[in-house]
């Protein structure tokens, strides 16, 4: 399973960016897809996730500003980031939580990370 993320970059505070992620390979039983981020010197944290049925979950710090969605190709996930703040600066990682068969446990798969930098 491979995840390819894109869309990061440099933006001024108050601006917007849209991240995209496409999963490929043996995608069998998806639990959630979503985004995590890691700022320098900090632990990786959940930003937003979405289930196969469309239920979403957001970190408190991004509620009302970010929106996670699935593409028509169900192996894709997007993160629309609006009203960006300098504290949103981090490497953003695409995440896929799935299991390969009904007898196996769910497992996390990660993309390579894409840098988002918000200048003040």
């Amino acid at each position: 399973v491979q995840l390819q993320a894109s869309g990061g970059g440099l933006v001024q505070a108050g601006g917007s960016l849209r991240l995209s992620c496409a999963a490929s390979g043996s995608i069998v039983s998806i639990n959630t897809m979503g985004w995590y981020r890691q700022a320098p010197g900090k632990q990786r944290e959940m930003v937003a996730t979405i289930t196969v049925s469309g239920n979403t979950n957001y970190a408190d710090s991004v509620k009302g500003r970010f929106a996670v969605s699935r593409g028509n190709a169900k192996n894709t996930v997007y993160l629309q980031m609006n009203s960006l703040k300098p504290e949103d600066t981090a490497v953003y990682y695409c995440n896929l939580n799935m299991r390969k068969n009904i007898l196996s446990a769910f497992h996390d798969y990660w993309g390579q990370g894409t840098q988002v930098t918000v200048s003040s």
Side-chain angles (χ1 to χ4, degrees), residues 40-110:
K42 295 187 176 181
Q43 289 188 331
R44 189 174 297 189
E45 63 174 357
M46 186 276 294
V47 177
T49 61
I50 184 167
T51 68
V52 291
S53 58
N55 293 320
T56 57
N57 185 36
Y58 294 95
D60 288 343
S61 60
V62 306
K63 284 180 180 177
R65 300 187 298 123
F66 290 11
V68 62
S69 60
R70 298 277 299 276
N72 289 331
K74 295 302 181 184
N75 297 343
T76 57
V77 64
Y78 305 98
L79 184 68
Q80 178 66 42
M81 305 185 292
N82 299 325
S83 302
L84 281 160
K85 303 175 180 180
E87 51 263 43
D88 294 318
T89 295
V91 177
Y92 283 69
Y93 296 91
C94 177
N95 171 268
L96 166 66
N97 184 266
M98 61 162 270
R99 59 182 177 182
K100 293 191 173 182
N101 59 67
I102 196 170
L103 297 178
S104 66
F106 285 99
H107 181 76
D108 283 315
Y109 297 85
W110 298 96

Side-chain angles (χ1 to χ4, degrees), residues 33-44:
M33 293 189 76
W35 297 90
Y36 288 66
R37 68 187 180 187
Q38 187 167 18
K42 295 187 176 181
Q43 289 188 331
R44 189 174 297 189

Side-chain angles (χ1 to χ4, degrees), residues 16-31:
S16 299
L17 282 174
R18 179 177 168 89
L19 304 182
S20 301
C21 177
S24 60
S26 182
I27 311 296
V28 180
S29 180
I30 297 175
N31 179 30

